[in-house]
Amino acid sequence: MTQKDITFVADFLTEHFNEAPELYSRKGKYFNVERVGQYLKDEDDDLVSPPNTEGNQWFNFLKDSTHLKESPLLFPYYPEKSLHFVKRQMEGVIDQCLQKPADVIGKSVRQAVCMSLYKVSQSEESTPQLYKLPFLWNDKTSNLHYVLFTMLENSISKIHILRRHTDTSRSVSNGILAVEFGNFLNSSINESSDSRCYSCLDAHFYDDETVTVVLKESVQQEGKERVLAQLPLS
């Protein structure tokens, strides 16, 4: 540490660890360092040492502003309360703001189509995750919704594309299809190998016409090959 660092720490200790006799009648510790810890207590009690807001530019600005002083858009300030108290107050306000949109949106959502992707035994206590990589894409030009996903277990080398029209009353051809990668890359990478098979690690839409996929060799050995491929939807 440099002498400047030592001086800085010494000044901090001198300033913040002085005893505060005026606080002896209050519960808690009697040092000014408590001004930090008091904000983190999950209590509704008033702060032992409320902050001094005199000279604060923001409070002065609000005080001098006729329109902002009583504005409902500004979250109220509680100088006597801890951050936990303020957090609970803010969460309550946010929940209240989101409740009405949630009710309206929830009532407007309805099932457009139902497709059976797989079946599980009724006797199983917990259903295993049989699909992954759900990625959503909205083609605003053609008014189409896309969902990319892969099914685990027997179809790991396939990527499924679900397509729906944004107008639920309209349908589109090939609403759902699967693209199998398998060993289609053998001719371009290793023509002598017939055992290469690829599974999809990740898939995203690159644009309205192209899907980008990350493929992995499905062999149990080190140095598995990774392939980044872009596939046209057509």
Side-chain angles (χ1 to χ4, degrees), residues 132-134 150 152 156-159 181 198-204 212-218 224-228:
K132 65 174 183 176
L133 297 181
T150 58
L152 302 181
I156 191 65
S157 63
K158 296 179 182 179
I159 180 174
F181 299 103
Y198 293 89
S199 59
C200 184
L201 283 177
D202 200 0
H204 286 250
T212 300
V213 295
V214 179
L215 304 176
K216 176 188 69 171
E217 264 192 300
S218 301
K224 293 181 181 179
E225 208 154 37
R226 301 292 193 272
V227 178
L228 180 68

PDB file of all heavy atoms in Angstrom, residues 132-134 150 152 156-159 181 198-204 212-218 224-228:
ATOM      1  N   LYS A 132     -35.931 -29.316 -26.592  1.00  0.00           N
ATOM      2  CA  LYS A 132     -35.092 -28.207 -26.160  1.00  0.00           C
ATOM      3  C   LYS A 132     -34.921 -27.235 -27.328  1.00  0.00           C
ATOM      4  O   LYS A 132     -35.466 -27.432 -28.409  1.00  0.00           O
ATOM      5  CB  LYS A 132     -33.734 -28.701 -25.675  1.00  0.00           C
ATOM      6  CG  LYS A 132     -32.880 -29.348 -26.771  1.00  0.00           C
ATOM      7  CD  LYS A 132     -31.493 -29.689 -26.250  1.00  0.00           C
ATOM      8  CE  LYS A 132     -30.609 -30.259 -27.352  1.00  0.00           C
ATOM      9  NZ  LYS A 132     -29.229 -30.517 -26.887  1.00  0.00           N
ATOM     10  N   LEU A 133     -34.160 -26.185 -27.101  1.00  0.00           N
ATOM     11  CA  LEU A 133     -33.878 -25.146 -28.102  1.00  0.00           C
ATOM     12  C   LEU A 133     -35.120 -24.433 -28.628  1.00  0.00           C
ATOM     13  O   LEU A 133     -35.216 -24.178 -29.817  1.00  0.00           O
ATOM     14  CB  LEU A 133     -33.121 -25.745 -29.303  1.00  0.00           C
ATOM     15  CG  LEU A 133     -31.741 -26.318 -29.037  1.00  0.00           C
ATOM     16  CD1 LEU A 133     -31.146 -26.836 -30.342  1.00  0.00           C
ATOM     17  CD2 LEU A 133     -30.827 -25.286 -28.448  1.00  0.00           C
ATOM     18  N   PRO A 134     -36.104 -24.117 -27.800  1.00  0.00           N
ATOM     19  CA  PRO A 134     -37.217 -23.332 -28.362  1.00  0.00           C
ATOM     20  C   PRO A 134     -36.756 -21.919 -28.697  1.00  0.00           C
ATOM     21  O   PRO A 134     -36.267 -21.198 -27.835  1.00  0.00           O
ATOM     22  CB  PRO A 134     -38.248 -23.329 -27.232  1.00  0.00           C
ATOM     23  CG  PRO A 134     -37.444 -23.522 -25.985  1.00  0.00           C
ATOM     24  CD  PRO A 134     -36.259 -24.362 -26.362  1.00  0.00           C
ATOM     25  N   THR A 150     -35.765 -28.845 -30.980  1.00  0.00           N
ATOM     26  CA  THR A 150     -35.307 -30.204 -31.257  1.00  0.00           C
ATOM     27  C   THR A 150     -35.926 -31.142 -30.244  1.00  0.00           C
ATOM     28  O   THR A 150     -36.206 -30.765 -29.108  1.00  0.00           O
ATOM     29  CB  THR A 150     -33.771 -30.318 -31.173  1.00  0.00           C
ATOM     30  OG1 THR A 150     -33.357 -29.913 -29.871  1.00  0.00           O
ATOM     31  CG2 THR A 150     -33.094 -29.451 -32.220  1.00  0.00           C
ATOM     32  N   LEU A 152     -35.450 -34.632 -28.110  1.00  0.00           N
ATOM     33  CA  LEU A 152     -34.352 -35.448 -27.612  1.00  0.00           C
ATOM     34  C   LEU A 152     -34.603 -36.926 -27.907  1.00  0.00           C
ATOM     35  O   LEU A 152     -35.556 -37.299 -28.564  1.00  0.00           O
ATOM     36  CB  LEU A 152     -34.177 -35.205 -26.112  1.00  0.00           C
ATOM     37  CG  LEU A 152     -33.916 -33.743 -25.705  1.00  0.00           C
ATOM     38  CD1 LEU A 152     -33.748 -33.646 -24.198  1.00  0.00           C
ATOM     39  CD2 LEU A 152     -32.681 -33.208 -26.405  1.00  0.00           C
ATOM     40  N   ILE A 156     -32.395 -36.732 -32.210  1.00  0.00           N
ATOM     41  CA  ILE A 156     -31.465 -35.674 -31.839  1.00  0.00           C
ATOM     42  C   ILE A 156     -30.848 -35.043 -33.081  1.00  0.00           C
ATOM     43  O   ILE A 156     -30.369 -33.908 -33.043  1.00  0.00           O
ATOM     44  CB  ILE A 156     -30.363 -36.229 -30.911  1.00  0.00           C
ATOM     45  CG1 ILE A 156     -29.551 -35.093 -30.298  1.00  0.00           C
ATOM     46  CG2 ILE A 156     -29.469 -37.201 -31.666  1.00  0.00           C
ATOM     47  CD1 ILE A 156     -30.328 -34.206 -29.387  1.00  0.00           C
ATOM     48  N   SER A 157     -30.830 -35.766 -34.211  1.00  0.00           N
ATOM     49  CA  SER A 157     -30.219 -35.226 -35.424  1.00  0.00           C
ATOM     50  C   SER A 157     -31.196 -34.381 -36.231  1.00  0.00           C
ATOM     51  O   SER A 157     -30.865 -33.939 -37.324  1.00  0.00           O
ATOM     52  CB  SER A 157     -29.686 -36.362 -36.301  1.00  0.00           C
ATOM     53  OG  SER A 157     -30.749 -37.200 -36.726  1.00  0.00           O
ATOM     54  N   LYS A 158     -32.382 -34.154 -35.711  1.00  0.00           N
ATOM     55  CA  LYS A 158     -33.394 -33.381 -36.432  1.00  0.00           C
ATOM     56  C   LYS A 158     -33.659 -32.053 -35.735  1.00  0.00           C
ATOM     57  O   LYS A 158     -33.578 -31.952 -34.517  1.00  0.00           O
ATOM     58  CB  LYS A 158     -34.715 -34.155 -36.523  1.00  0.00           C
ATOM     59  CG  LYS A 158     -34.652 -35.440 -37.317  1.00  0.00           C
ATOM     60  CD  LYS A 158     -36.012 -36.127 -37.308  1.00  0.00           C
ATOM     61  CE  LYS A 158     -35.973 -37.459 -38.059  1.00  0.00           C
ATOM     62  NZ  LYS A 158     -37.285 -38.142 -38.022  1.00  0.00           N
ATOM     63  N   ILE A 159     -33.989 -31.071 -36.522  1.00  0.00           N
ATOM     64  CA  ILE A 159     -34.488 -29.807 -35.991  1.00  0.00           C
ATOM     65  C   ILE A 159     -35.898 -29.609 -36.537  1.00  0.00           C
ATOM     66  O   ILE A 159     -36.160 -29.841 -37.721  1.00  0.00           O
ATOM     67  CB  ILE A 159     -33.576 -28.622 -36.384  1.00  0.00           C
ATOM     68  CG1 ILE A 159     -34.134 -27.319 -35.805  1.00  0.00           C
ATOM     69  CG2 ILE A 159     -33.405 -28.508 -37.879  1.00  0.00           C
ATOM     70  CD1 ILE A 159     -33.229 -26.127 -36.007  1.00  0.00           C
ATOM     71  N   PHE A 181     -30.221 -33.745 -40.197  1.00  0.00           N
ATOM     72  CA  PHE A 181     -28.861 -33.462 -40.656  1.00  0.00           C
ATOM     73  C   PHE A 181     -28.106 -34.752 -40.947  1.00  0.00           C
ATOM     74  O   PHE A 181     -27.464 -34.880 -41.976  1.00  0.00           O
ATOM     75  CB  PHE A 181     -28.120 -32.631 -39.596  1.00  0.00           C
ATOM     76  CG  PHE A 181     -28.780 -31.315 -39.330  1.00  0.00           C
ATOM     77  CD1 PHE A 181     -29.537 -31.121 -38.187  1.00  0.00           C
ATOM     78  CD2 PHE A 181     -28.674 -30.285 -40.241  1.00  0.00           C
ATOM     79  CE1 PHE A 181     -30.167 -29.911 -37.952  1.00  0.00           C
ATOM     80  CE2 PHE A 181     -29.291 -29.077 -40.007  1.00  0.00           C
ATOM     81  CZ  PHE A 181     -30.045 -28.887 -38.869  1.00  0.00           C
ATOM     82  N   TYR A 198     -24.484 -35.945 -37.315  1.00  0.00           N
ATOM     83  CA  TYR A 198     -24.459 -34.652 -36.645  1.00  0.00           C
ATOM     84  C   TYR A 198     -25.774 -34.385 -35.919  1.00  0.00           C
ATOM     85  O   TYR A 198     -26.850 -34.700 -36.421  1.00  0.00           O
ATOM     86  CB  TYR A 198     -24.194 -33.529 -37.657  1.00  0.00           C
ATOM     87  CG  TYR A 198     -22.815 -33.588 -38.258  1.00  0.00           C
ATOM     88  CD1 TYR A 198     -22.569 -34.332 -39.408  1.00  0.00           C
ATOM     89  CD2 TYR A 198     -21.746 -32.930 -37.676  1.00  0.00           C
ATOM     90  CE1 TYR A 198     -21.299 -34.409 -39.961  1.00  0.00           C
ATOM     91  CE2 TYR A 198     -20.475 -32.996 -38.208  1.00  0.00           C
ATOM     92  CZ  TYR A 198     -20.261 -33.743 -39.360  1.00  0.00           C
ATOM     93  OH  TYR A 198     -19.008 -33.812 -39.876  1.00  0.00           O
ATOM     94  N   SER A 199     -25.654 -33.809 -34.750  1.00  0.00           N
ATOM     95  CA  SER A 199     -26.812 -33.363 -33.990  1.00  0.00           C
ATOM     96  C   SER A 199     -26.740 -31.853 -33.843  1.00  0.00           C
ATOM     97  O   SER A 199     -25.687 -31.249 -34.005  1.00  0.00           O
ATOM     98  CB  SER A 199     -26.849 -34.037 -32.610  1.00  0.00           C
ATOM     99  OG  SER A 199     -25.672 -33.728 -31.882  1.00  0.00           O
ATOM    100  N   CYS A 200     -27.866 -31.251 -33.498  1.00  0.00           N
ATOM    101  CA  CYS A 200     -27.967 -29.781 -33.443  1.00  0.00           C
ATOM    102  C   CYS A 200     -27.727 -29.305 -32.011  1.00  0.00           C
ATOM    103  O   CYS A 200     -28.446 -29.691 -31.085  1.00  0.00           O
ATOM    104  CB  CYS A 200     -29.340 -29.339 -33.933  1.00  0.00           C
ATOM    105  SG  CYS A 200     -29.533 -27.562 -34.014  1.00  0.00           S
ATOM    106  N   LEU A 201     -26.710 -28.458 -31.840  1.00  0.00           N
ATOM    107  CA  LEU A 201     -26.434 -27.856 -30.536  1.00  0.00           C
ATOM    108  C   LEU A 201     -27.285 -26.619 -30.301  1.00  0.00           C
ATOM    109  O   LEU A 201     -27.725 -26.350 -29.191  1.00  0.00           O
ATOM    110  CB  LEU A 201     -24.957 -27.474 -30.437  1.00  0.00           C
ATOM    111  CG  LEU A 201     -23.959 -28.591 -30.172  1.00  0.00           C
ATOM    112  CD1 LEU A 201     -22.545 -28.029 -30.184  1.00  0.00           C
ATOM    113  CD2 LEU A 201     -24.240 -29.266 -28.849  1.00  0.00           C
ATOM    114  N   ASP A 202     -27.499 -25.834 -31.357  1.00  0.00           N
ATOM    115  CA  ASP A 202     -28.250 -24.587 -31.212  1.00  0.00           C
ATOM    116  C   ASP A 202     -28.755 -24.172 -32.579  1.00  0.00           C
ATOM    117  O   ASP A 202     -28.176 -24.543 -33.614  1.00  0.00           O
ATOM    118  CB  ASP A 202     -27.377 -23.498 -30.611  1.00  0.00           C
ATOM    119  CG  ASP A 202     -28.205 -22.374 -29.994  1.00  0.00           C
ATOM    120  OD1 ASP A 202     -29.452 -22.457 -30.044  1.00  0.00           O
ATOM    121  OD2 ASP A 202     -27.612 -21.414 -29.473  1.00  0.00           O
ATOM    122  N   ALA A 203     -29.828 -23.409 -32.593  1.00  0.00           N
ATOM    123  CA  ALA A 203     -30.407 -22.947 -33.856  1.00  0.00           C
ATOM    124  C   ALA A 203     -31.142 -21.636 -33.632  1.00  0.00           C
ATOM    125  O   ALA A 203     -31.863 -21.488 -32.647  1.00  0.00           O
ATOM    126  CB  ALA A 203     -31.366 -23.996 -34.426  1.00  0.00           C
ATOM    127  N   HIS A 204     -30.922 -20.688 -34.530  1.00  0.00           N
ATOM    128  CA  HIS A 204     -31.587 -19.399 -34.477  1.00  0.00           C
ATOM    129  C   HIS A 204     -31.874 -18.936 -35.902  1.00  0.00           C
ATOM    130  O   HIS A 204     -31.180 -19.334 -36.840  1.00  0.00           O
ATOM    131  CB  HIS A 204     -30.714 -18.343 -33.785  1.00  0.00           C
ATOM    132  CG  HIS A 204     -30.629 -18.500 -32.306  1.00  0.00           C
ATOM    133  ND1 HIS A 204     -31.209 -17.617 -31.440  1.00  0.00           N
ATOM    134  CD2 HIS A 204     -30.036 -19.437 -31.530  1.00  0.00           C
ATOM    135  CE1 HIS A 204     -30.979 -17.998 -30.197  1.00  0.00           C
ATOM    136  NE2 HIS A 204     -30.256 -19.113 -30.232  1.00  0.00           N
ATOM    137  N   THR A 212     -29.632 -20.282 -38.929  1.00  0.00           N
ATOM    138  CA  THR A 212     -28.254 -20.620 -38.577  1.00  0.00           C
ATOM    139  C   THR A 212     -28.271 -21.723 -37.524  1.00  0.00           C
ATOM    140  O   THR A 212     -28.976 -21.616 -36.520  1.00  0.00           O
ATOM    141  CB  THR A 212     -27.514 -19.391 -38.023  1.00  0.00           C
ATOM    142  OG1 THR A 212     -27.496 -18.367 -39.027  1.00  0.00           O
ATOM    143  CG2 THR A 212     -26.077 -19.747 -37.655  1.00  0.00           C
ATOM    144  N   VAL A 213     -27.489 -22.776 -37.755  1.00  0.00           N
ATOM    145  CA  VAL A 213     -27.438 -23.900 -36.818  1.00  0.00           C
ATOM    146  C   VAL A 213     -25.988 -24.202 -36.460  1.00  0.00           C
ATOM    147  O   VAL A 213     -25.075 -23.982 -37.249  1.00  0.00           O
ATOM    148  CB  VAL A 213     -28.099 -25.166 -37.399  1.00  0.00           C
ATOM    149  CG1 VAL A 213     -29.581 -24.944 -37.618  1.00  0.00           C
ATOM    150  CG2 VAL A 213     -27.426 -25.579 -38.692  1.00  0.00           C
ATOM    151  N   VAL A 214     -25.782 -24.680 -35.240  1.00  0.00           N
ATOM    152  CA  VAL A 214     -24.482 -25.176 -34.786  1.00  0.00           C
ATOM    153  C   VAL A 214     -24.623 -26.682 -34.631  1.00  0.00           C
ATOM    154  O   VAL A 214     -25.445 -27.164 -33.841  1.00  0.00           O
ATOM    155  CB  VAL A 214     -24.058 -24.531 -33.457  1.00  0.00           C
ATOM    156  CG1 VAL A 214     -22.716 -25.096 -33.006  1.00  0.00           C
ATOM    157  CG2 VAL A 214     -23.986 -23.026 -33.599  1.00  0.00           C
ATOM    158  N   LEU A 215     -23.818 -27.443 -35.390  1.00  0.00           N
ATOM    159  CA  LEU A 215     -23.907 -28.895 -35.402  1.00  0.00           C
ATOM    160  C   LEU A 215     -22.704 -29.501 -34.695  1.00  0.00           C
ATOM    161  O   LEU A 215     -21.617 -28.921 -34.670  1.00  0.00           O
ATOM    162  CB  LEU A 215     -23.982 -29.408 -36.842  1.00  0.00           C
ATOM    163  CG  LEU A 215     -25.120 -28.848 -37.696  1.00  0.00           C
ATOM    164  CD1 LEU A 215     -25.016 -29.368 -39.123  1.00  0.00           C
ATOM    165  CD2 LEU A 215     -26.467 -29.197 -37.099  1.00  0.00           C
ATOM    166  N   LYS A 216     -22.912 -30.710 -34.148  1.00  0.00           N
ATOM    167  CA  LYS A 216     -21.855 -31.423 -33.433  1.00  0.00           C
ATOM    168  C   LYS A 216     -21.843 -32.867 -33.900  1.00  0.00           C
ATOM    169  O   LYS A 216     -22.895 -33.471 -34.124  1.00  0.00           O
ATOM    170  CB  LYS A 216     -22.120 -31.373 -31.930  1.00  0.00           C
ATOM    171  CG  LYS A 216     -21.129 -32.169 -31.097  1.00  0.00           C
ATOM    172  CD  LYS A 216     -21.558 -32.232 -29.638  1.00  0.00           C
ATOM    173  CE  LYS A 216     -22.798 -33.089 -29.458  1.00  0.00           C
ATOM    174  NZ  LYS A 216     -23.107 -33.327 -28.032  1.00  0.00           N
ATOM    175  N   GLU A 217     -20.648 -33.401 -34.054  1.00  0.00           N
ATOM    176  CA  GLU A 217     -20.525 -34.814 -34.381  1.00  0.00           C
ATOM    177  C   GLU A 217     -21.081 -35.664 -33.249  1.00  0.00           C
ATOM    178  O   GLU A 217     -20.782 -35.430 -32.083  1.00  0.00           O
ATOM    179  CB  GLU A 217     -19.057 -35.185 -34.619  1.00  0.00           C
ATOM    180  CG  GLU A 217     -18.647 -35.173 -36.080  1.00  0.00           C
ATOM    181  CD  GLU A 217     -17.286 -35.826 -36.244  1.00  0.00           C
ATOM    182  OE1 GLU A 217     -16.328 -35.326 -35.653  1.00  0.00           O
ATOM    183  OE2 GLU A 217     -17.206 -36.820 -36.969  1.00  0.00           O
ATOM    184  N   SER A 218     -21.890 -36.644 -33.577  1.00  0.00           N
ATOM    185  CA  SER A 218     -22.509 -37.490 -32.565  1.00  0.00           C
ATOM    186  C   SER A 218     -21.710 -38.769 -32.351  1.00  0.00           C
ATOM    187  O   SER A 218     -22.227 -39.876 -32.406  1.00  0.00           O
ATOM    188  CB  SER A 218     -23.947 -37.836 -32.979  1.00  0.00           C
ATOM    189  OG  SER A 218     -24.704 -36.665 -33.145  1.00  0.00           O
ATOM    190  N   LYS A 224     -14.499 -33.744 -31.192  1.00  0.00           N
ATOM    191  CA  LYS A 224     -15.720 -33.753 -31.988  1.00  0.00           C
ATOM    192  C   LYS A 224     -15.776 -32.521 -32.879  1.00  0.00           C
ATOM    193  O   LYS A 224     -15.445 -31.418 -32.442  1.00  0.00           O
ATOM    194  CB  LYS A 224     -16.949 -33.787 -31.071  1.00  0.00           C
ATOM    195  CG  LYS A 224     -17.115 -35.078 -30.280  1.00  0.00           C
ATOM    196  CD  LYS A 224     -18.372 -35.017 -29.428  1.00  0.00           C
ATOM    197  CE  LYS A 224     -18.546 -36.293 -28.619  1.00  0.00           C
ATOM    198  NZ  LYS A 224     -19.757 -36.237 -27.770  1.00  0.00           N
ATOM    199  N   GLU A 225     -16.218 -32.741 -34.086  1.00  0.00           N
ATOM    200  CA  GLU A 225     -16.248 -31.654 -35.040  1.00  0.00           C
ATOM    201  C   GLU A 225     -17.460 -30.752 -34.772  1.00  0.00           C
ATOM    202  O   GLU A 225     -18.553 -31.232 -34.467  1.00  0.00           O
ATOM    203  CB  GLU A 225     -16.319 -32.220 -36.458  1.00  0.00           C
ATOM    204  CG  GLU A 225     -15.695 -31.317 -37.495  1.00  0.00           C
ATOM    205  CD  GLU A 225     -15.214 -32.131 -38.674  1.00  0.00           C
ATOM    206  OE1 GLU A 225     -15.864 -33.092 -39.061  1.00  0.00           O
ATOM    207  OE2 GLU A 225     -14.154 -31.764 -39.210  1.00  0.00           O
ATOM    208  N   ARG A 226     -17.264 -29.450 -34.900  1.00  0.00           N
ATOM    209  CA  ARG A 226     -18.349 -28.479 -34.795  1.00  0.00           C
ATOM    210  C   ARG A 226     -18.513 -27.795 -36.156  1.00  0.00           C
ATOM    211  O   ARG A 226     -17.520 -27.420 -36.792  1.00  0.00           O
ATOM    212  CB  ARG A 226     -18.067 -27.420 -33.735  1.00  0.00           C
ATOM    213  CG  ARG A 226     -17.848 -27.969 -32.335  1.00  0.00           C
ATOM    214  CD  ARG A 226     -19.123 -28.575 -31.760  1.00  0.00           C
ATOM    215  NE  ARG A 226     -19.013 -28.816 -30.328  1.00  0.00           N
ATOM    216  CZ  ARG A 226     -18.540 -29.916 -29.785  1.00  0.00           C
ATOM    217  NH1 ARG A 226     -18.071 -30.878 -30.575  1.00  0.00           N
ATOM    218  NH2 ARG A 226     -18.497 -30.075 -28.483  1.00  0.00           N
ATOM    219  N   VAL A 227     -19.747 -27.624 -36.575  1.00  0.00           N
ATOM    220  CA  VAL A 227     -20.017 -27.026 -37.875  1.00  0.00           C
ATOM    221  C   VAL A 227     -21.038 -25.918 -37.702  1.00  0.00           C
ATOM    222  O   VAL A 227     -22.077 -26.123 -37.054  1.00  0.00           O
ATOM    223  CB  VAL A 227     -20.553 -28.078 -38.874  1.00  0.00           C
ATOM    224  CG1 VAL A 227     -20.872 -27.412 -40.210  1.00  0.00           C
ATOM    225  CG2 VAL A 227     -19.552 -29.193 -39.073  1.00  0.00           C
ATOM    226  N   LEU A 228     -20.724 -24.747 -38.242  1.00  0.00           N
ATOM    227  CA  LEU A 228     -21.684 -23.638 -38.285  1.00  0.00           C
ATOM    228  C   LEU A 228     -22.265 -23.584 -39.687  1.00  0.00           C
ATOM    229  O   LEU A 228     -21.534 -23.385 -40.662  1.00  0.00           O
ATOM    230  CB  LEU A 228     -20.982 -22.309 -37.950  1.00  0.00           C
ATOM    231  CG  LEU A 228     -21.882 -21.058 -37.965  1.00  0.00           C
ATOM    232  CD1 LEU A 228     -22.875 -21.115 -36.834  1.00  0.00           C
ATOM    233  CD2 LEU A 228     -21.041 -19.799 -37.875  1.00  0.00           C
TER     234      LEU A 228
END
